[in-house]
Amino acid sequence: STLLYLLLYSAARTAAGPQLANAAALLLSAVANTAANRRLTFGVRGRARAVRHQAQGLVVFAIGLALTSGSLAALGAANAAPGHSTELAVLVTANLAATVLRFLLFRAWVFPERRATPAKDHS
């Protein structure tokens, strides 16, 4: 999802400022990321609670947006005209921190029922 985010950001950045490009790229990749994590990481199948999971994912998105937007704002304060590669480096770092936080929030809050299921005894 970080690669998708960077591709979307780079595409949007050609037509918009860094904050708008960041928000758009993060929103689009967050919806895809929540769906992928729901199915692949946490093994949740079917439509039950899908809307709730996406709504919770949007809260997690807002936290990630605050992290990445704050990083871009700090970069802008330090350098009035940073290069695209510098923006990407700052965003990769911020996105990695957001990814760790997103996984922890998904595990503890969005998909806690997957952890609450007891393991089957095969003996």
Side-chain angles (χ1 to χ4, degrees), residues 11-90:
R13 185 64 176 95
T14 61
Q19 293 292 356
L20 183 58
N22 175 55
L26 201 58
L27 178 61
L28 292 172
S29 63
V31 171
N33 182 271
T34 299
N37 270 299
R38 183 176 193 272
R39 183 176 179 95
L40 302 173
T41 305
F42 297 99
V44 178
R45 306 259 194 264
R47 294 183 182 179
R49 301 172 73 174
V51 172
R52 178 181 176 180
H53 291 152
Q54 283 293 344
Q56 289 172 303
L58 288 175
V59 172
V60 175
F61 151 78
I63 295 167
L65 180 61
L67 259 169
T68 56
S69 294
S71 297
L72 282 173
L75 175 62
N79 183 345
H84 186 67
S85 61
T86 304
E87 282 182 359
L88 289 180
V90 166

